[in-house]
Amino acid sequence: MDIYKFAISPLLFNVVKTDPEWLHQQTIRSFNGLSQTPSSWVNQRLQKSLCLYDSRLEQNLFGLNFPNPVGLAAGFDKDGVAAGIWPNLGFGFAELGTVTFHAQPGNPRPRLFRLPLDKAALNRMGFNNLGAAVMAERLKQQSTHLIPIGINLGKSKVTPLEEAAQDYLDSFRLLKDLGDYFVVNVSSPNTPGLRSLQDASMLSAILNLLQQENTSHKPIFVKIAPDLDWVAIADIISLAKTYQLAGIIATNTTISRDGLKTQVIDQTGKLPQEEAGGISGEPLRDRSTEVIRFIWQQTQGEIPIIGVGGIFSPDDAWEKITAGASLIQVYTGWIYEGPLMVRRILAGLLAKLEQNGLNSINEAVGLQTNIPKF
């Protein structure tokens, strides 16, 4: 029996109602300690219990080897304090951040809320982090990573929108030799004006500066919002081609409150519709899959997609992959389902491959779209 899913999480979330941000901080501290002792007995036990290795799950994408397609989404390890622990928890890659050039405290608390009835979270964290320089120093002290490590870059709140490109560039310069891939985050709803940077002209300025600096040809992605219309997404696809991006991450959290079952948020006594922030988890699942499928169809499958949003089960993961995602990321689902979720998803994906007569996960990418693969 999965003790976390059926005993620990119901106790923490529904009975004790532990503050989500406090619990997150304690978890990160524990993971930080474990990452300092990679060969410890505890880490060995974690690997044995939580990891699943199978060559059918491996992929080589944009020059990086991914042992499996399930990654940790940005937002959990904002400062890269636990970068060494993620492979021991079964992940095939991990994304650190969001990190900004200037250290910043984020938005006022409370700013992170569970919505258990919806299997969702509402957050308005506001890119709280210690800054790119601190992350850079920390990563320099760490040993070689066993899985690809991405770094998600955001705009500092104090930086005016018209200076955003330089702000992203300043962070990239500090971190460009320390991450395996990079993500331009212009889609969080929790930094004033940030989503306006998804506009083609503003995003173009950012990508142009980054690629000029990117002499090592590190893979660069852009992470988009699920709330964009099809025309805006098509514009971003065009920019991805123009600036030779490695791919697109679809999607960030949504500002939509449609269909939520939660009536009142316990910490504030307010309706979810009255609280600012982005929704992640199950309510995001279908829309993020729609966006993935649209990008795949519009690009004939030529631009890699990292799919994120509402993944809790092997079926959810398979849906994202067959819609066109080469890789997937989890966060909210992992919080609700617990550490065994990654292994369950990987085992489920292997079963799906066998059921469909496929030899590798790469063969499943885009399988349920109307575009034939060659």
Side-chain angles (χ1 to χ4, degrees):
M1 185 179 76
D2 187 338
I3 296 175
Y4 177 93
K5 183 176 179 180
F6 294 105
I8 296 176
S9 66
L11 176 67
L12 292 175
F13 298 173
N14 301 322
V15 180
V16 180
K17 296 184 178 180
T18 311
D19 176 68
E21 187 167 353
W22 178 87
L23 187 59
H24 176 266
Q25 290 171 340
Q26 302 312 306
T27 303
I28 278 290
R29 287 194 184 101
S30 299
F31 287 166
N32 180 32
L34 288 173
S35 68
Q36 304 302 316
T37 55
S39 61
S40 70
W41 177 85
V42 174
N43 276 304
Q44 292 173 6
R45 295 300 301 174
L46 287 174
Q47 290 177 15
K48 187 174 182 179
S49 301
L50 305 180
C51 297
L52 193 161
Y53 303 101
D54 192 296
S55 61
R56 291 172 292 175
L57 297 173
E58 295 178 10
Q59 293 179 92
N60 192 284
L61 300 167
F62 33 90
L64 300 174
N65 183 61
F66 294 83
N68 73 63
V70 181
L72 178 75
F76 197 95
D77 192 357
K78 291 177 177 292
D79 294 304
V81 300
I85 195 64
W86 304 120
N88 295 344
L89 300 179
F91 290 104
F93 65 108
E95 193 169 306
L96 311 180
T98 298
V99 63
T100 55
F101 180 65
H102 297 285
Q104 54 188 45
N107 293 322
R109 300 187 186 193
R111 54 193 182 183
L112 179 61
F113 311 93
R114 296 188 203 95
L115 283 63
L117 290 176
D118 297 289
K119 297 180 75 173
L122 188 159
N123 97 81
R124 51 170 178 263
M125 301 299 288
F127 290 166
N128 54 304
N129 73 103
L130 298 176
V134 171
M135 179 183 279
E137 287 305 312
R138 179 173 285 121
L139 293 178
K140 287 175 185 176
Q141 297 170 12
Q142 296 181 5
S143 58
T144 304
H145 302 128
L146 299 177
I147 57 174
I149 295 295
I151 300 177
N152 188 295
L153 307 176
K155 184 190 78 69
S156 306
K157 187 175 182 179
V158 298
T159 300
L161 287 172
E162 57 270 21
E163 298 174 17
Q166 185 64 45
D167 190 79
Y168 282 96
L169 178 61
D170 290 339
S171 293
F172 183 64
R173 279 176 171 159
L174 290 172
L175 294 160
K176 63 181 181 179
D177 296 324
L178 302 168
D180 295 307
Y181 73 87
F182 290 84
V183 181
V184 179
N185 187 345
V186 287
S187 51
S188 169
N190 302 317
T191 296
L194 187 78
R195 285 191 165 189
S196 68
L197 297 177
Q198 293 175 115
D199 175 77
S201 61
M202 300 191 79
L203 182 55
S204 178
I206 296 169
L207 299 178
N208 183 50
L209 273 186
L210 291 181
Q211 289 293 43
Q212 286 183 36
E213 181 70 20
N214 188 22
T215 55
S216 296
H217 304 291
K218 290 293 179 77
I220 296 179
F221 288 76
V222 63
K223 186 170 186 175
I224 65 173
D227 310 302
L228 293 173
D229 61 30
W230 299 126
V231 173
I233 295 173
D235 286 342
I236 291 175
I237 291 171
S238 179
L239 286 179
K241 294 177 179 178
T242 299
Y243 290 101
Q244 299 181 312
L245 298 188
I248 296 172
I249 299 184
T251 64
N252 213 319
T253 57
T254 180
I255 56 175
S256 171
R257 302 293 188 264
D258 293 345
L260 293 181
K261 301 172 186 175
T262 301
Q263 297 297 310
V264 177
I265 294 178
D266 291 337
Q267 290 149 284
T268 66
K270 295 181 179 180
L271 298 170
Q273 291 78 4
E274 297 174 319
E275 296 286 0
I279 297 284
S280 61
E282 204 167 79
L284 181 60
R285 181 176 60 209
D286 291 346
R287 175 57 182 172
S288 67
T289 302
E290 286 179 355
V291 174
I292 291 165
R293 186 173 291 113
F294 177 80
I295 296 170
W296 172 270
Q297 291 174 338
Q298 291 296 305
T299 64
Q300 305 284 298
E302 293 179 358
I303 294 180
I305 303 164
I306 299 178
V308 55
I311 298 171
F312 287 72
S313 69
D315 286 343
D316 297 335
W318 185 251
E319 183 181 56
K320 289 280 192 292
I321 291 168
T322 56
S326 296
L327 302 167
I328 57 174
Q329 292 178 326
V330 298
Y331 183 164
T332 304
W334 194 58
I335 299 302
Y336 277 97
E337 297 293 306
L340 284 170
M341 186 189 83
V342 175
R343 186 184 179 106
R344 278 199 300 267
I345 287 177
L346 296 177
L349 290 177
L350 288 171
K352 296 281 190 184
L353 291 178
E354 292 178 0
Q355 291 167 11
N356 287 273
L358 303 177
N359 297 314
S360 72
I361 197 66
N362 183 61
E363 295 177 9
V365 177
L367 191 65
Q368 297 302 321
T369 66
N370 296 321
I371 305 299
K373 291 183 70 177
F374 298 99

